[in-house]
Amino acid sequence: MNWGWVETEMTIIEKRITINSALLEREVLCTLLIPDEQEIAEPLSLLLLNDGQELENLAFSQTLEQLYNTNRIKPLLVVAIYAGEDRLQEYGVAGRPDFKKRGAKADIYTQFIITELLPQIKAGTGIHEFENTAFAGFSLGGLSAFDICWNNADVFDKVGVFSGSFWWRSKDLAKGYTDNDRIAHTLIRETEGKPGLKFWLQTGTKDETSDRNKNGIIDAIDDTIDLIKELEAKGYSRPADIQYVEVVGGSHNTETWGRVMGKFLCWAFGR
């Protein structure tokens, strides 16, 4: 594997790599972004990003460049992991498929991240220790990032979830569903102890139109607020451990997520 970096027109170096995953039984494409080595005078942090194929739509590199140029964030290595054709099976909550049996490979995807991706990234870049390590994602990819961090707090420090699929449930709405059937919320309640993590959670007021309980608040916001309540019940506090960003008029799309990406990066890696 050739790990040589290619310099773009920006001051960020970009490299696309392919990892042959024995666990996922497929090739995993990743884009790596790192500042020009001549500009790095301090330890690097690491950000893993689900749905890395959306980098361009997020205007991610432009945001990163602007934050570097205004000295608002510390240097970091970004690893954007492209989703495969089996995204609905690989993303989710490990060992807990939803009522349609989606997310059945989430445990394997977790193993891929921990035992294949991270070791190859460290070996390929020669960077073995990071100042901070975060994982972020969007929609179902956000749920995936949350679950992986929650179960591997010895590896990750922070998690970012944009319009997370916290509705992910074990029972169909038409078959006796209650809020206790939400899988991520149940995971938090059933976990012993308090993982050493910090959380950045975002919703948009136009993420969707569904309102299961008819309370005038869309489910995307209700489910995220309820997740925050579960975290607070575990002993986490706002704003020390939990940052919640609600975007008025924000939709379930890369345009909205891209607009708040700078806020997340400053929260996770700010000076």
Side-chain angles (χ1 to χ4, degrees), residues 136-173:
F138 316 93
S139 191
L140 186 54
L143 175 67
S144 167
F146 180 90
D147 178 60
I148 292 171
C149 289
W150 184 260
N151 289 301
N152 295 277
D154 57 327
V155 176
F156 298 98
D157 306 299
K158 300 173 181 177
V159 56
V161 182
F162 297 73
S163 299
S165 296
F166 292 127
W167 58 267
W168 201 245
R169 52 184 175 264
S170 57
K171 187 178 292 184
D172 194 338
L173 291 177

Short mmCIF file of all heavy atoms in Angstrom, two decimals, residues 136-173:
data_model
loop_
_atom_site.label_atom_id
_atom_site.label_comp_id
_atom_site.label_asym_id
_atom_site.label_seq_id
_atom_site.Cartn_x
_atom_site.Cartn_y
_atom_site.Cartn_z
N ALA A 136 -17.31 10.59 14.35
CA ALA A 136 -18.54 11.30 14.06
C ALA A 136 -19.26 10.67 12.88
O ALA A 136 -18.67 9.95 12.07
CB ALA A 136 -18.26 12.78 13.77
N GLY A 137 -20.56 10.95 12.77
CA GLY A 137 -21.34 10.43 11.67
C GLY A 137 -22.67 11.14 11.55
O GLY A 137 -23.05 11.93 12.40
N PHE A 138 -23.37 10.80 10.48
CA PHE A 138 -24.61 11.47 10.11
C PHE A 138 -25.73 10.45 9.99
O PHE A 138 -25.55 9.38 9.42
CB PHE A 138 -24.43 12.20 8.77
CG PHE A 138 -23.12 12.94 8.68
CD1 PHE A 138 -22.00 12.34 8.12
CD2 PHE A 138 -23.00 14.22 9.19
CE1 PHE A 138 -20.78 13.00 8.06
CE2 PHE A 138 -21.79 14.90 9.13
CZ PHE A 138 -20.67 14.29 8.58
N SER A 139 -26.90 10.79 10.56
CA SER A 139 -28.06 9.92 10.47
C SER A 139 -27.72 8.54 11.04
O SER A 139 -27.27 8.43 12.18
CB SER A 139 -28.53 9.85 9.02
OG SER A 139 -29.79 9.24 8.91
N LEU A 140 -27.88 7.48 10.26
CA LEU A 140 -27.55 6.14 10.75
C LEU A 140 -26.05 6.00 11.02
O LEU A 140 -25.63 5.28 11.93
CB LEU A 140 -28.00 5.09 9.73
CG LEU A 140 -27.86 3.62 10.12
CD1 LEU A 140 -28.55 3.33 11.45
CD2 LEU A 140 -28.43 2.73 9.02
N GLY A 141 -25.24 6.72 10.26
CA GLY A 141 -23.80 6.73 10.52
C GLY A 141 -23.47 7.39 11.85
O GLY A 141 -22.45 7.07 12.47
N GLY A 142 -24.32 8.31 12.29
CA GLY A 142 -24.15 8.92 13.60
C GLY A 142 -24.46 7.96 14.73
O GLY A 142 -23.77 7.90 15.74
N LEU A 143 -25.54 7.18 14.53
CA LEU A 143 -25.86 6.14 15.51
C LEU A 143 -24.71 5.15 15.62
O LEU A 143 -24.33 4.73 16.71
CB LEU A 143 -27.15 5.42 15.09
CG LEU A 143 -27.56 4.21 15.94
CD1 LEU A 143 -27.94 4.64 17.34
CD2 LEU A 143 -28.71 3.46 15.26
N SER A 144 -24.15 4.77 14.48
CA SER A 144 -23.01 3.85 14.45
C SER A 144 -21.82 4.42 15.22
O SER A 144 -21.21 3.72 16.04
CB SER A 144 -22.62 3.57 13.00
OG SER A 144 -21.37 2.93 12.91
N ALA A 145 -21.49 5.68 14.97
CA ALA A 145 -20.37 6.30 15.66
C ALA A 145 -20.61 6.33 17.16
O ALA A 145 -19.71 6.06 17.96
CB ALA A 145 -20.15 7.72 15.13
N PHE A 146 -21.83 6.66 17.56
CA PHE A 146 -22.18 6.69 18.99
C PHE A 146 -21.98 5.32 19.62
O PHE A 146 -21.35 5.19 20.68
CB PHE A 146 -23.62 7.15 19.17
CG PHE A 146 -24.07 7.20 20.61
CD1 PHE A 146 -23.91 8.35 21.35
CD2 PHE A 146 -24.63 6.08 21.21
CE1 PHE A 146 -24.31 8.40 22.69
CE2 PHE A 146 -25.03 6.11 22.54
CZ PHE A 146 -24.86 7.28 23.29
N ASP A 147 -22.50 4.29 18.97
CA ASP A 147 -22.42 2.94 19.52
C ASP A 147 -20.97 2.48 19.63
O ASP A 147 -20.56 1.89 20.65
CB ASP A 147 -23.21 1.98 18.63
CG ASP A 147 -23.14 0.54 19.11
OD1 ASP A 147 -23.54 0.27 20.25
OD2 ASP A 147 -22.66 -0.31 18.33
N ILE A 148 -20.17 2.73 18.60
CA ILE A 148 -18.77 2.30 18.62
C ILE A 148 -18.01 3.00 19.72
O ILE A 148 -17.22 2.37 20.46
CB ILE A 148 -18.13 2.52 17.24
CG1 ILE A 148 -18.75 1.56 16.21
CG2 ILE A 148 -16.61 2.31 17.30
CD1 ILE A 148 -18.34 1.82 14.78
N CYS A 149 -18.22 4.29 19.88
CA CYS A 149 -17.54 5.03 20.95
C CYS A 149 -18.02 4.56 22.32
O CYS A 149 -17.20 4.39 23.24
CB CYS A 149 -17.77 6.53 20.78
SG CYS A 149 -16.93 7.27 19.38
N TRP A 150 -19.32 4.38 22.47
CA TRP A 150 -19.88 3.97 23.75
C TRP A 150 -19.26 2.65 24.22
O TRP A 150 -18.97 2.48 25.42
CB TRP A 150 -21.39 3.82 23.63
CG TRP A 150 -22.08 3.51 24.92
CD1 TRP A 150 -22.51 2.28 25.35
CD2 TRP A 150 -22.43 4.44 25.96
NE1 TRP A 150 -23.10 2.38 26.59
CE2 TRP A 150 -23.07 3.69 26.99
CE3 TRP A 150 -22.27 5.81 26.11
CZ2 TRP A 150 -23.55 4.29 28.16
CZ3 TRP A 150 -22.75 6.41 27.28
CH2 TRP A 150 -23.36 5.65 28.28
N ASN A 151 -19.05 1.75 23.29
CA ASN A 151 -18.50 0.44 23.65
C ASN A 151 -16.98 0.36 23.61
O ASN A 151 -16.41 -0.68 23.92
CB ASN A 151 -19.08 -0.63 22.70
CG ASN A 151 -20.55 -0.90 22.97
OD1 ASN A 151 -20.93 -1.29 24.07
ND2 ASN A 151 -21.39 -0.68 21.97
N ASN A 152 -16.35 1.47 23.23
CA ASN A 152 -14.88 1.49 23.15
C ASN A 152 -14.34 2.81 23.67
O ASN A 152 -13.53 3.49 23.02
CB ASN A 152 -14.43 1.27 21.70
CG ASN A 152 -14.80 -0.10 21.17
OD1 ASN A 152 -14.10 -1.08 21.40
ND2 ASN A 152 -15.92 -0.16 20.47
N ALA A 153 -14.76 3.16 24.87
CA ALA A 153 -14.34 4.43 25.47
C ALA A 153 -12.86 4.43 25.84
O ALA A 153 -12.31 5.49 26.16
CB ALA A 153 -15.19 4.74 26.70
N ASP A 154 -12.24 3.27 25.79
CA ASP A 154 -10.79 3.21 26.01
C ASP A 154 -10.04 3.64 24.76
O ASP A 154 -8.84 3.94 24.82
CB ASP A 154 -10.37 1.80 26.40
CG ASP A 154 -10.77 0.75 25.37
OD1 ASP A 154 -11.83 0.91 24.73
OD2 ASP A 154 -10.03 -0.23 25.20
N VAL A 155 -10.74 3.71 23.63
CA VAL A 155 -10.13 4.10 22.36
C VAL A 155 -10.51 5.53 21.98
O VAL A 155 -9.68 6.29 21.48
CB VAL A 155 -10.56 3.13 21.23
CG1 VAL A 155 -10.01 3.59 19.88
CG2 VAL A 155 -10.10 1.71 21.55
N PHE A 156 -11.77 5.91 22.23
CA PHE A 156 -12.29 7.20 21.79
C PHE A 156 -12.55 8.12 22.98
O PHE A 156 -12.92 7.67 24.07
CB PHE A 156 -13.58 7.00 21.00
CG PHE A 156 -13.39 6.20 19.74
CD1 PHE A 156 -13.69 4.84 19.72
CD2 PHE A 156 -12.90 6.79 18.59
CE1 PHE A 156 -13.51 4.10 18.57
CE2 PHE A 156 -12.71 6.05 17.44
CZ PHE A 156 -13.01 4.70 17.42
N ASP A 157 -12.39 9.41 22.73
CA ASP A 157 -12.63 10.42 23.75
C ASP A 157 -13.95 11.16 23.52
O ASP A 157 -14.62 11.56 24.48
CB ASP A 157 -11.50 11.46 23.76
CG ASP A 157 -10.13 10.83 23.92
OD1 ASP A 157 -9.91 10.18 24.96
OD2 ASP A 157 -9.29 10.98 23.01
N LYS A 158 -14.29 11.36 22.25
CA LYS A 158 -15.44 12.20 21.91
C LYS A 158 -16.21 11.59 20.75
O LYS A 158 -15.64 10.91 19.90
CB LYS A 158 -14.98 13.61 21.55
CG LYS A 158 -14.22 14.31 22.68
CD LYS A 158 -13.64 15.64 22.23
CE LYS A 158 -12.87 16.30 23.37
NZ LYS A 158 -12.23 17.57 22.94
N VAL A 159 -17.52 11.90 20.72
CA VAL A 159 -18.36 11.42 19.62
C VAL A 159 -19.25 12.56 19.14
O VAL A 159 -19.78 13.33 19.94
CB VAL A 159 -19.21 10.20 20.04
CG1 VAL A 159 -20.06 10.50 21.26
CG2 VAL A 159 -20.07 9.71 18.89
N GLY A 160 -19.37 12.66 17.81
CA GLY A 160 -20.25 13.66 17.21
C GLY A 160 -21.34 13.00 16.40
O GLY A 160 -21.06 12.14 15.57
N VAL A 161 -22.59 13.39 16.67
CA VAL A 161 -23.73 12.78 15.98
C VAL A 161 -24.57 13.88 15.35
O VAL A 161 -25.14 14.72 16.05
CB VAL A 161 -24.59 11.95 16.95
CG1 VAL A 161 -25.74 11.28 16.20
CG2 VAL A 161 -23.74 10.90 17.66
N PHE A 162 -24.66 13.86 14.03
CA PHE A 162 -25.45 14.82 13.28
C PHE A 162 -26.76 14.15 12.86
O PHE A 162 -26.74 13.16 12.14
CB PHE A 162 -24.69 15.28 12.04
CG PHE A 162 -23.39 16.01 12.32
CD1 PHE A 162 -22.27 15.32 12.77
CD2 PHE A 162 -23.29 17.38 12.12
CE1 PHE A 162 -21.08 15.99 13.02
CE2 PHE A 162 -22.11 18.06 12.36
CZ PHE A 162 -20.99 17.36 12.82
N SER A 163 -27.88 14.68 13.33
CA SER A 163 -29.20 14.12 12.98
C SER A 163 -29.21 12.61 13.17
O SER A 163 -29.58 11.84 12.28
CB SER A 163 -29.58 14.47 11.53
OG SER A 163 -29.65 15.86 11.34
N GLY A 164 -28.80 12.17 14.34
CA GLY A 164 -28.65 10.74 14.61
C GLY A 164 -29.95 9.96 14.54
O GLY A 164 -31.01 10.45 14.92
N SER A 165 -29.85 8.73 14.11
CA SER A 165 -31.02 7.83 13.99
C SER A 165 -31.33 7.20 15.34
O SER A 165 -31.34 5.96 15.49
CB SER A 165 -30.76 6.75 12.94
OG SER A 165 -30.60 7.32 11.66
N PHE A 166 -31.62 8.04 16.33
CA PHE A 166 -31.90 7.53 17.67
C PHE A 166 -33.32 6.99 17.80
O PHE A 166 -33.71 6.53 18.88
CB PHE A 166 -31.63 8.61 18.71
CG PHE A 166 -30.17 8.96 18.84
CD1 PHE A 166 -29.73 10.27 18.75
CD2 PHE A 166 -29.22 7.96 19.03
CE1 PHE A 166 -28.38 10.59 18.87
CE2 PHE A 166 -27.86 8.27 19.14
CZ PHE A 166 -27.45 9.59 19.06
N TRP A 167 -34.07 7.02 16.69
CA TRP A 167 -35.36 6.33 16.65
C TRP A 167 -35.18 4.83 16.49
O TRP A 167 -36.15 4.07 16.66
CB TRP A 167 -36.18 6.83 15.44
CG TRP A 167 -35.46 6.62 14.14
CD1 TRP A 167 -34.65 7.50 13.48
CD2 TRP A 167 -35.44 5.42 13.35
NE1 TRP A 167 -34.14 6.93 12.33
CE2 TRP A 167 -34.60 5.65 12.22
CE3 TRP A 167 -36.05 4.17 13.47
CZ2 TRP A 167 -34.37 4.70 11.24
CZ3 TRP A 167 -35.80 3.21 12.49
CH2 TRP A 167 -34.98 3.48 11.38
N TRP A 168 -33.99 4.40 16.15
CA TRP A 168 -33.67 2.97 15.87
C TRP A 168 -34.33 2.10 16.93
O TRP A 168 -34.04 2.23 18.12
CB TRP A 168 -32.17 2.82 15.90
CG TRP A 168 -31.56 1.64 15.19
CD1 TRP A 168 -30.87 0.62 15.78
CD2 TRP A 168 -31.50 1.39 13.78
NE1 TRP A 168 -30.40 -0.25 14.81
CE2 TRP A 168 -30.78 0.20 13.57
CE3 TRP A 168 -32.01 2.06 12.65
CZ2 TRP A 168 -30.53 -0.34 12.31
CZ3 TRP A 168 -31.77 1.53 11.40
CH2 TRP A 168 -31.04 0.35 11.24
N ARG A 169 -35.21 1.22 16.53
CA ARG A 169 -36.07 0.55 17.50
C ARG A 169 -36.18 -0.95 17.25
O ARG A 169 -36.01 -1.41 16.13
CB ARG A 169 -37.47 1.18 17.48
CG ARG A 169 -38.10 1.26 16.10
CD ARG A 169 -39.45 2.00 16.13
NE ARG A 169 -40.01 2.18 14.79
CZ ARG A 169 -39.87 3.29 14.07
NH1 ARG A 169 -39.19 4.31 14.57
NH2 ARG A 169 -40.41 3.39 12.87
N SER A 170 -36.51 -1.67 18.30
CA SER A 170 -36.59 -3.13 18.23
C SER A 170 -38.00 -3.61 17.92
O SER A 170 -38.20 -4.81 17.68
CB SER A 170 -36.13 -3.74 19.56
OG SER A 170 -36.91 -3.24 20.63
N LYS A 171 -38.97 -2.70 17.91
CA LYS A 171 -40.35 -3.09 17.66
C LYS A 171 -41.01 -2.11 16.69
O LYS A 171 -40.82 -0.90 16.80
CB LYS A 171 -41.13 -3.15 18.97
CG LYS A 171 -42.56 -3.71 18.85
CD LYS A 171 -43.24 -3.77 20.21
CE LYS A 171 -42.59 -4.80 21.12
NZ LYS A 171 -43.32 -4.93 22.41
N ASP A 172 -41.81 -2.64 15.78
CA ASP A 172 -42.52 -1.82 14.81
C ASP A 172 -43.54 -0.93 15.52
O ASP A 172 -44.15 -1.33 16.52
CB ASP A 172 -43.24 -2.75 13.83
CG ASP A 172 -43.74 -2.03 12.59
OD1 ASP A 172 -43.91 -0.80 12.63
OD2 ASP A 172 -43.97 -2.71 11.56
N LEU A 173 -43.75 0.28 14.98
CA LEU A 173 -44.74 1.20 15.56
C LEU A 173 -46.13 0.58 15.61
O LEU A 173 -46.90 0.84 16.53
CB LEU A 173 -44.79 2.50 14.74
CG LEU A 173 -43.57 3.42 14.80
CD1 LEU A 173 -43.76 4.60 13.87
CD2 LEU A 173 -43.32 3.89 16.22
#
